[in-house]
Amino acid sequence: MTETSRDARRARTAQRILDAAQQEFATRGFDGATIRGIAGVAGVDASLVMQHFGSKAALFNSAVQLPGDDEQSAAEHLLEVLAVRLGELPPETTALVRSMLTVPEAADSMRSFLDERVDNLARSLDGDDAHLRALITVSGILGLTITQHFLKLRAFDDVSHASLLDAARGWTAYLSSDS
């Protein structure tokens, strides 16, 4: 009986850490999030984060995984990502995107991140073209980020974030469907 309670407590703690990590990575990005910060949000000691996940990279990998074959969760996740990208970008994201075309290390970092995002999203979709739909979706989000925050297209001036998210609901539903 004690083992079950201990296992249940351990699982709840790991989930709290994972929830905190998702929040911190979404808000601060990989470089801005810290193990101490994640531990603080989760209400645990930083050593417990490491005990459960081993490293910041492993925790990040766990935090960004979408459930397999769950297109509804994938569509909801995409809308959350868009909501974050439509808001103010964290400084580290701004620096990375600004540098990705001129600094090889920034390009490598962005490429690795986006390749992982495409693969992760594709695993949550059904159909022979799941990888292609994931590629289009991830590329589209990057395009929206660049055109709003860096090119500052005037079209964004007349559109609310809520309107963009409403329009994106149809887009994510289409891209998440096996049609």
Side-chain angles (χ1 to χ4, degrees):
M1 200 66 109
T2 304
E3 284 302 311
T4 304
S5 314
R6 186 181 307 151
D7 290 345
R9 280 193 315 270
R10 184 170 170 74
R12 282 193 305 271
T13 299
Q15 189 59 54
R16 275 197 344 259
I17 293 168
L18 195 55
D19 292 343
Q22 289 170 334
Q23 178 183 332
E24 288 292 289
F25 287 130
T27 303
R28 303 180 192 294
F30 180 80
D31 292 332
T34 65
I35 293 296
R36 285 184 202 267
I38 292 166
V41 170
V44 300
D45 188 80
S47 65
L48 199 52
V49 174
M50 300 305 284
Q51 195 175 78
H52 277 275
F53 292 93
S55 69
K56 181 178 169 182
L59 177 57
F60 179 78
N61 215 16
S62 294
V64 298
Q65 293 304 307
L66 291 171
D69 297 328
D70 186 350
E71 294 185 8
Q72 182 62 35
S73 290
E76 290 169 12
H77 172 73
L78 292 172
L79 290 171
E80 289 171 11
V81 169
L82 277 171
V84 168
R85 292 295 176 245
L86 291 172
E88 193 65 33
L89 293 179
E92 60 277 0
T93 302
T94 300
L96 182 61
V97 174
R98 205 177 287 285
S99 303
M100 70 184 183
L101 297 177
T102 57
V103 178
E105 294 82 6
D108 290 344
S109 180
M110 183 62 93
R111 184 180 309 105
S112 294
F113 174 75
L114 293 175
D115 279 342
E116 190 282 326
R117 297 286 64 213
V118 169
D119 292 343
N120 185 26
L121 180 57
R123 285 191 299 273
S124 71
L125 303 175
D126 287 330
D128 293 339
D129 65 345
H131 198 267
L132 178 60
R133 288 183 286 131
L135 173 61
I136 290 168
T137 302
V138 170
S139 298
I141 291 171
L142 177 61
L144 282 169
T145 302
I146 291 170
T147 57
Q148 180 187 7
H149 294 286
F150 297 92
L151 296 177
K152 300 190 184 302
L153 290 184
R154 287 188 307 269
F156 284 103
D157 295 344
D158 300 328
V159 180
S160 71
H161 288 180
S163 296
L164 285 168
L165 289 174
D166 283 343
R169 276 185 184 75
W171 181 51
T172 58
Y174 172 74
L175 291 171
S176 296
S177 68
D178 184 22
S179 44

